[in-house]
Amino acid sequence: MLATRALSLVGERAISTSICVRGEHGVAKVDDYALPAYFDRRENPHPDVQFVTELSAVQKSLKEKEKGSWATLSNEEKIALYRISFKQSFAEMNEGTKEWKSVIAGMFFFIGMTGLVVLWQRKFVYGPVPPTFESEWKEKEVQRMLDMRINPVEGFSAKWDYENKEWKK
Amino acid sequence: MSLAKPAMRGLLGKRLRFHLPIAFALSLVAAAAFKYGVTEPRKQAYADFYKQYDTTKEFNNMRDAGVFESVRTTGE
């Protein structure tokens, strides 16, 4: 009790950044990261603390003026009050970055690397292709498909001219 | 400040009133395009094919080509 009263003479802010009395047993240091923090987020429009913590004399008098009628505040004073409470406006915090260029560059780079790996694989890893890929085999396959009349209405055999034994023009 | 107060309510309704008619119209257009670009020509193609289809002739041609397993080629 006595300690907190003594500390209140030092200043409000000083209490939160220095020490905190726990019961009557001693003090526990409260680190900065454990205290309410200020951050600019679109989904949290009113952060837990205001941005400027140590107010200058001008700002202090402005805060006093804010307690009166707001009609007497000029536009610059309103902006100054805003900037005391907030670091970036919504327009500023929502700006896009140029990060997409790095992303696209990275994408192309890794796709290129993968292409090189694939080329190496084709040369040094894979064995020969089956005999069914040879031209003569393929010719016999096509002839058999035409004999069987595969897709004769709109598809494969529809493009073959059976009278003249050639592909339709 | 001289900025106008932004719209605070009715945002979803406004979006739906704008986008839903467009979505419906585009869907109908897509369906009509597919019907008259794909299915109707396909039905016509099948009808024309089978109008001139001689079953026996085609069967004999296929038999001579040797693609059947249960029918021997002619002249065997």
Side-chain angles (χ1 to χ4, degrees):
Chain A
M1 257 307 285
L2 206 63
T4 46
R5 268 222 292 249
L7 284 170
S8 70
L9 296 172
V10 179
E12 230 177 30
R13 188 75 189 157
I15 293 184
S16 38
T17 47
S18 51
I19 48 179
C20 148
V21 180
R22 300 286 222 112
E24 254 85 35
H25 302 284
V27 295
K29 183 163 176 299
V30 178
D31 296 308
D32 269 334
Y33 59 77
L35 294 164
Y38 175 83
F39 50 86
D40 284 312
R41 300 301 307 259
R42 193 162 66 183
E43 55 268 12
N44 192 6
H46 200 303
D48 302 329
V49 291
Q50 66 183 30
F51 176 54
V52 178
T53 46
E54 315 283 343
L55 295 174
S56 71
V58 175
Q59 288 172 323
K60 282 204 183 101
S61 64
L62 194 54
K63 277 288 186 185
E64 289 299 319
K65 193 173 174 195
E66 192 193 14
K67 291 179 185 166
S69 164
W70 287 348
T72 59
L73 293 170
S74 72
N75 279 354
E76 290 81 24
E77 287 174 333
K78 288 180 193 168
I79 293 178
L81 283 168
Y82 182 90
R83 291 290 173 186
I84 289 175
S85 297
F86 303 107
K87 182 169 177 237
Q88 282 182 315
S89 68
F90 269 71
E92 286 161 13
M93 80 166 89
N94 287 341
E95 268 169 1
T97 62
K98 298 194 192 71
E99 191 189 4
W100 65 272
K101 296 180 195 172
S102 321
V103 171
I104 299 285
M107 277 169 60
F108 285 148
F109 175 75
F110 281 111
I111 290 173
M113 289 299 305
T114 312
L116 288 176
V117 170
V118 167
L119 284 178
W120 180 86
Q121 271 185 335
R122 291 227 62 204
K123 192 160 194 313
F124 291 107
V125 175
Y126 295 143
V129 124
T132 55
F133 282 80
E134 290 157 15
S135 312
E136 294 117 19
W137 194 290
K138 282 295 177 206
E139 281 171 19
K140 289 187 198 152
E141 260 184 27
V142 168
Q143 183 57 57
R144 199 171 127 83
M145 282 170 74
L146 291 171
D147 291 339
M148 289 197 282
R149 310 295 193 271
I150 297 290
N151 282 338
V153 182
E154 279 190 320
F156 191 74
S157 307
K159 299 190 167 81
W160 177 258
D161 186 354
Y162 282 95
E163 314 299 319
N164 301 327
K165 302 254 190 331
E166 57 186 1
W167 291 109
K168 286 183 186 164
K169 301 289 178 287
Chain B
M1 287 304 136
S2 30
L3 283 179
K5 183 174 174 183
M8 308 291 269
R9 291 156 185 253
L11 299 165
L12 178 64
K14 180 170 164 217
R15 177 189 171 83
L16 287 178
R17 251 172 291 133
F18 179 75
H19 281 100
L20 274 179
I22 296 177
F24 265 98
L26 283 179
S27 310
L28 287 174
V29 165
F34 194 80
K35 183 181 172 76
Y36 292 109
V38 178
T39 60
E40 287 302 316
R42 186 170 288 166
K43 288 200 272 190
Q44 197 55 41
Y46 271 79
D48 294 338
F49 178 81
Y50 282 109
K51 217 173 287 183
Q52 268 103 36
Y53 193 65
D54 182 1
T55 346
T56 329
K57 172 166 160 271
E58 292 294 323
F59 170 73
N60 284 324
N61 284 339
M62 282 198 255
R63 184 168 75 176
D64 294 335
V67 292
F68 289 130
E69 288 177 17
S70 18
V71 184
R72 275 175 299 218
T73 55
T74 51
E76 248 186 9

